[in-house]
Amino acid sequence: MPALVLLGAQWGDEGKGKATDLLGGSVDYVVRYQGGNNAGHTVVVGDQKYALHLLPSGILSPGCTPVIGNGVVVDPSVLLSELSGLNERGVDTSKLLISGNAHIITPYNVTVDKVTERFLGKRKIGTTGRGIGPTYADKINRVGIRVQDLYDESILTQKVEAALDVKNQILTKLYNRRAIAVDQVVEELLGYADKLAPYVADTVLVLNQALEDDKVVLFEGGQGTLLDIDHGTYPFVTSSNPTAGGACTGAGVGPTKISRVIGILKAYTTRVGAGPFPTELFDEDGEALRRIGGERGVTTGRDRRCGWFDAVIARYATRVNGLTDFFLTKLDVLTGWEQIPVCVAYEIDGRRVEELPYSQTDFHHAKPVYEMLPGWSEDISKAKSFSDLPKNAQAYVKALEEMSGAPISAIGVGPGRDETIEINSFL
Ligand code: GDP
Ligand code: IMO
Ligand code: MG
């Protein structure tokens, strides 16, 4: 059972970094397959805390080879500073592999991201401003720059020219900004070539050979199911496919190779940026979840919007990803509430709806139908097995499992590696 996918089941920040790191010690490769440095994955090892943006969370496990797949968008300056930051802290990053087919986030992509958001005004998406959307747009428009282009100056220059031809018209004539010089961009990008060269590889070949040799490969998603460009709350989404199918296209591995798909699911819900969020709280419960859960963005430092658990979304994630398991995180954050509301269905224009509506208009009108579950007050952060949990915490987990459509195989009771209850083994 060599290939596993681990992905966010909600709107991101579910605790993917911690879960990936936990498995990192037992797998041979950890692969990012989409997104870029819009991600912020926190890993806590002992008293050390790491915030990873572009690097797979497996980079902290010495036996594991971290891979940046073809589906990722790479900002070279961010990557190099993330690598040197880890090196300064004694982490060996020499095994990293980067796909030559991954697209590069150029300085003009970052500019276009920020300018577009500004012009959208109150209709903005609330992007992370890292150039993610414009880079994927260039990829689909076939004017993108790939990592391998850094090694052919003539091709690189032609491609940057082609990309800037249109963009400079837009920047100067529409957005009233200065044009971006081709030479300057080419020079900056060429400056990264030698530094990245040791890592660039045919990652599709490497990963498929590893699977042939029965090595264990873990695909680590960025963002989450509801931020997926196809299956999320479009247009309030990111520009890639965090859902399970994205692992195949974003790493060049066939679906027949994937044996397990693990959805990381927070015991409540959070969201950063704009867009619908039926269980969002605007009262002191929301404030308390934010405070106790430390719900502040790892990448942009924005406060996360907080709300109760939404089982409709969890069921949807099970369906579109073919989830085999859930890893429930941050159960400890819910300690202390007398009763915990859980959204079991929506009311939409007077109708009860059990499944996520495909219509954006309906979803914008969805009001949560809550069931109240009894809370607990005991500290659960030291629990090592399911039976260590108070009865009401056990019942909360069982109720979520029942509603969400896949077994909960692990439970997070704190940010540290060992603050985890393992129920079914993932490997
Ligand atoms: P990711 O983007 O999915 O990797 O998640 P983030 O790192 O953005 O946000 C998750 C936050 O919750 C981080 O600060 C983690 O250290 C923390 N965390 C993860 N699992 C748990 C847990 O079970 N309990 C608590 N209290 N914190 C957790
Ligand atoms: P991790 O991997 C939460 C959100 C942004 C915005 C939308 C589009 O840490 O879970 P983008 O910059 O991607 O074009 O922004 O997606 N977003 C995230 N929200 N966690 C993330 O990553 C996110 N990455 C992007 O806030 O709403
Ligand atoms: Mg995050």
Side-chain angles (χ1 to χ4, degrees):
M1 90 67 252
L4 302 87
V5 181
L6 188 159
L7 51 81
Q10 295 151 321
W11 277 286
D13 304 324
E14 299 90 348
K16 299 176 291 294
K18 172 189 156 164
T20 303
D21 169 67
L22 189 70
L23 297 179
S26 338
V27 308
D28 301 296
Y29 293 82
V30 174
V31 187
R32 277 284 306 271
Y33 55 88
Q34 47 66 237
N37 57 306
N38 47 349
H41 296 177
T42 317
V43 178
V44 179
V45 185
D47 60 357
Q48 294 288 310
K49 185 169 169 176
Y50 300 88
L52 302 168
H53 297 285
L54 200 45
L55 293 168
S57 304
I59 197 132
L60 301 172
S61 301
C64 179
T65 301
V67 179
I68 294 180
N70 55 276
V72 175
V73 287
V74 178
D75 185 326
S77 67
V78 172
L79 178 61
L80 291 169
S81 72
E82 207 169 324
L83 285 170
S84 62
L86 287 179
N87 295 153
E88 278 162 22
R89 295 174 72 176
V91 178
D92 175 15
T93 57
S94 60
K95 285 183 162 177
L96 175 70
L97 301 177
I98 305 170
S99 166
N101 286 353
H103 280 247
I104 290 200
I105 302 178
T106 62
Y108 50 81
N109 294 135
V110 177
T111 304
V112 171
D113 192 359
K114 290 181 176 155
V115 173
T116 312
E117 281 282 277
R118 205 167 309 140
F119 270 70
L120 279 170
K122 65 179 182 1
R123 292 185 299 267
K124 71 178 180 192
I125 308 295
T127 71
T128 58
R130 301 301 194 262
I132 306 295
T135 305
Y136 279 112
D138 278 3
K139 172 176 174 174
I140 301 300
N141 274 332
R142 294 162 294 192
V143 291
I145 311 295
R146 295 192 291 177
V147 168
Q148 59 178 289
D149 298 329
L150 300 182
Y151 304 98
D152 186 326
E153 185 171 349
S154 153
I155 286 203
L156 178 67
T157 309
Q158 288 174 43
K159 289 189 174 179
V160 173
E161 262 166 15
L164 280 177
D165 245 6
V166 179
K167 258 175 217 90
N168 273 336
Q169 301 278 341
I170 296 172
L171 283 173
T172 54
K173 296 193 178 142
L174 208 62
Y175 292 137
N176 226 358
R177 305 272 299 205
R178 240 180 283 150
I180 295 170
V182 172
D183 297 357
Q184 228 171 333
V185 174
V186 170
E187 195 188 317
E188 179 179 335
L189 294 180
L190 287 175
Y192 300 124
D194 286 349
K195 293 180 190 132
L196 293 183
Y199 307 113
V200 180
D202 182 349
T203 55
V204 175
L205 186 63
V206 170
L207 291 172
N208 279 284
Q209 277 174 344
L211 288 167
E212 287 291 313
D213 295 343
D214 244 4
K215 298 274 190 258
V216 184
V217 178
L218 176 66
F219 298 95
E220 178 189 19
Q223 294 76 54
T225 300
L226 275 299
L227 286 173
D228 186 281
I229 186 84
D230 285 279
H231 302 291
T233 46
Y234 190 91
F236 302 102
V237 292
T238 192
S239 300
S240 66
N241 288 116
T243 48
C248 297
T249 49
V253 165
T256 49
K257 299 286 193 307
I258 291 166
S259 46
R260 208 131 174 208
V261 185
I262 306 160
I264 312 302
L265 187 67
K266 213 179 269 193
Y268 50 98
T269 315
T270 63
R271 173 164 204 171
V272 197
F277 178 1
T279 63
E280 182 169 16
L281 294 166
F282 300 95
D283 58 6
E284 54 215 50
D285 280 332
E287 229 3 273
L289 287 174
R290 187 152 39 244
R291 190 183 63 250
I292 302 166
E295 297 298 352
R296 181 174 282 256
V298 180
T299 299
T300 57
R302 290 178 289 181
D303 271 355
R304 293 175 181 155
R305 301 157 65 192
C306 295
W308 299 120
F309 184 81
D310 185 335
V312 182
I313 277 173
R315 272 200 295 282
Y316 179 73
T318 303
R319 188 159 64 241
V320 297
N321 294 300
L323 295 183
T324 56
D325 305 78
F326 279 114
F327 188 139
L328 186 71
T329 61
K330 302 191 103 163
L331 185 65
D332 53 301
V333 174
L334 293 179
T335 301
W337 266 275
E338 226 164 88
Q339 287 202 305
I340 308 170
V342 168
C343 168
V344 294
Y346 299 141
E347 194 197 295
I348 302 174
D349 303 329
R351 288 171 298 131
R352 184 184 164 105
V353 173
E354 305 280 337
E355 302 299 341
L356 199 82
Y358 72 85
S359 144
Q360 182 187 359
T361 311
D362 281 352
F363 193 56
H364 280 259
H365 293 175
K367 296 200 175 58
V369 176
Y370 286 119
E371 200 171 282
M372 303 302 277
L373 300 180
W376 61 92
S377 55
E378 301 89 333
D379 175 16
I380 61 169
S381 61
K382 304 281 176 303
K384 292 282 167 246
S385 69
F386 188 69
S387 58
D388 292 342
L389 291 174
K391 284 282 167 284
N392 286 350
Q394 291 186 15
Y396 184 82
V397 173
K398 282 288 155 206
L400 263 45
E401 181 174 82
E402 185 78 17
M403 293 170 196
S404 305
I408 291 175
S409 295
I411 304 168
V413 291
R417 249 183 206 173
D418 49 359
E419 289 169 311
T420 307
I421 296 172
E422 291 192 63
I423 300 171
N424 306 311
S425 165
F426 289 114
L427 294 161

